[in-house]
Amino acid sequence: MASEFDLIQRYFTRNTPQALLGVGDDAALIKPSAGMELAISTDILVAGTHFFADTDAYKLGWKTLAVNLSDMAAMGSKPRWATLGLALPEINEEWLAKFSEGFFACAETFGVDLIGGDTTRGPLTLSVQIMGEVPAGKAIRRDNAKIGDEIWVSGELGTAALALAVLQNKIALSESEMSIYRLALEQPEPKVHLGIALRDIANSMIDISDGLLADLGHILKRSKVAAHIHLEQLPTCNYVSHHLHEKPIHKLVLAGGDDYELCFTAPKSQHAKILEISQELTLPISCIGNIIAATDGDFSSTVYNQQHQIIDIKETGFDHFA
């Protein structure tokens, strides 16, 4: 039977041109570029909580890295290095081959070196530490949203949550429809290039992993402001847009999570420039509301429908300990 070190050598050891020393020693060695600050983040994916245990291994490998790249995108950081921790219930070399193929496909797409990690026996758990670079003083943080800023989001909201609802038999869709929406859930595309393009434009930014209202809420709380959101301005897929008047669909779009799109705020003076970036990247970017002053310490979002009525939604997003 293959040992832990055999598995690392066979499936997770590749050339690391961006590192001084990669996989194979007690620690990796990296050298940040001159004038750059390091951005570092960690995410853990657990079978049964973040993904179904029978998820396609290639797509899971891709997503394991992609969700971390999304954190880099949200800081305006260029991702460069990653480490990978794997807890495996058993050695399944066919699964490992597909998982590593998907992981490295994502890594190569975005120019990331896997420089180390660890494996152990246990419930299927995937942990990545991602490291990137951003010019000194240029990181886009959560705590700088300004009153009067417009609020923008990239891509579509609620598509991944829709696919999950179908898999949980809460919504019925045809197989052809589901094949399109399922990709958003299982193989998200991190918006790294958009994050970098927004370095001198956005005042604040976050990636949408737990749901729009929950994640935007982090910006509002850190910046001590509030927000107005217009439901009809939210970018959605065809199914969701056709059912946007239904309350269960409100939850998918506003609190569904797993979107891995970017939500950011920027001055109105940057409106035209943001639309230019949208065209250059061939990526939809939609203005969905604006930042307002908070009243009595209420740093939250108010969501309005097309009739300018307030939509009451109790669940704002996913919480592991709720």
Side-chain angles (χ1 to χ4, degrees), residues 3-16 22-24 57 60-62 64 82-88 91-105 107 113-120 124-128:
S3 71
E4 170 189 353
F5 302 103
D6 291 333
L7 295 178
I8 293 171
Q9 178 63 36
R10 189 176 306 164
Y11 298 110
F12 298 105
T13 302
R14 303 279 178 95
N15 290 333
T16 54
V23 176
L60 184 58
W62 175 285
T64 299
T83 62
L84 172 65
L86 287 177
L88 303 169
I91 294 176
N92 180 332
E93 298 208 32
E94 181 182 357
W95 186 93
L96 281 167
K98 291 180 179 178
F99 176 88
S100 62
E101 184 185 356
F103 187 96
F104 281 111
D113 285 353
L114 179 65
I115 58 172
D118 192 23
T119 60
T120 189
L124 183 56
T125 304
L126 317 165
S127 178
V128 168

Side-chain angles (χ1 to χ4, degrees), residues 201-223:
I201 293 171
N203 282 334
S204 65
M205 187 154 63
I206 193 169
D207 78 317
I208 306 173
S209 55
D210 294 326
L212 173 64
L213 294 185
D215 290 316
L216 175 58
H218 296 312
I219 288 179
L220 303 181
K221 187 174 181 180
R222 292 292 302 276
S223 300

